[in-house]
Amino acid sequence: MINYLIHYYRKGSEPFQSLSALSDNDAITLMSLLYVQGAIFWERFKQPAEYLRIRREIENTMHQEFISKGGNPQLNYPIYMILGRSKWASEVVDESTLETTAEKEVPLSIFHESDISFTYPDSMVSYMFARQKDPKFYQQGYHGRVFTLTEIAEIIDINGMPGEEWNTNIPKNLAHYIEVQVWNKKPLLEFI
């Protein structure tokens, strides 16, 4: 099992923030500033109002599902990270993303199991696949679901990491990694 998390954020800004914690107007304004055409990490903000609407809907669903699995979220909206270093991110990274993106690495061990949840892949992609149920991509056991640390560790023990031992059929332009939702900011304070 990978023992560290990576948080990507825009250079020059503070790490470990949540767009969803902002007002609609502030979040949309910020996403408009974060948008970079052609940058794999920042192009998702091209239509900020629609992105924010879908994101908050998915976050509310994840919040409830995490609680039902014994999670104890201290935040209404998660801080996003990925489990380990993503093979997908290293293969699709572009010049614009490299120029505008910073990262923080934190040990997985700073979190209690009730502080973090996981999705495969990125939560926006996972829930999109679950809604569409396209047989080319949809995997019922993984998409549209939240996993605990124990559950994701068991999945990795069986399948390996996505894009490495775990061969999955996801379009190359979509985020392909195990996403971590951090629901307690306190353990991160020493890494800011």
Side-chain angles (χ1 to χ4, degrees), residues 7-175:
H7 173 69
Y8 293 105
Y9 62 104
R10 191 65 175 267
K11 283 183 181 173
S13 67
E14 187 176 324
F16 311 125
Q17 301 299 306
S18 171
L19 285 167
S20 296
L22 300 173
S23 70
D24 287 359
N25 286 340
D26 288 348
I28 289 168
T29 298
L30 181 57
M31 283 188 280
S32 297
L33 295 171
L34 292 173
Y35 171 72
V36 177
Q37 184 175 350
I40 197 79
F41 285 178
W42 308 113
E43 195 164 50
R44 69 183 186 262
F45 299 135
K46 184 175 185 174
Q47 297 176 316
E50 180 67 5
Y51 177 87
L52 185 63
R53 183 190 66 73
I54 294 168
R55 179 177 172 145
R56 284 190 175 145
E57 179 184 313
I58 290 170
E59 287 173 339
N60 288 332
T61 300
M62 290 191 303
H63 189 267
Q64 292 306 310
E65 190 172 345
F66 185 48
I67 290 170
S68 75
K69 289 187 167 202
N72 185 24
Q74 303 299 304
L75 302 169
N76 291 324
Y77 305 103
I79 296 163
Y80 293 99
M81 302 181 135
I82 62 171
L83 182 63
R85 197 146 303 273
S86 166
K87 181 179 178 185
W88 170 84
S90 65
E91 290 174 351
V92 299
V93 73
D94 52 84
E95 191 73 25
S96 296
T97 299
L98 288 172
E99 290 172 358
T100 57
T101 306
E103 67 178 57
K104 291 273 186 186
E105 182 176 316
V106 300
L108 178 59
S109 62
I110 66 172
F111 297 104
H112 187 275
E113 182 154 357
S114 64
D115 291 333
I116 54 176
S117 60
F118 301 81
T119 57
Y120 169 76
D122 174 271
S123 55
M124 297 282 280
V125 175
S126 179
Y127 281 84
M128 176 187 74
F129 285 158
R131 275 191 209 128
Q132 295 174 349
K133 293 188 176 29
D134 181 337
K136 239 169 46 175
F137 306 116
Y138 177 60
Q139 297 175 41
Q140 184 176 359
Y142 304 112
H143 297 148
R145 297 186 59 199
V146 167
F147 301 98
T148 64
L149 176 58
T150 299
E151 290 171 331
I152 205 69
E154 290 171 2
I155 291 168
I156 292 168
D157 282 346
I158 294 168
N159 297 326
M161 289 298 287
E164 295 174 18
E165 302 88 7
W166 183 2
N167 289 321
T168 55
N169 184 26
I170 292 182
K172 191 143 180 102
N173 66 317
L174 297 177

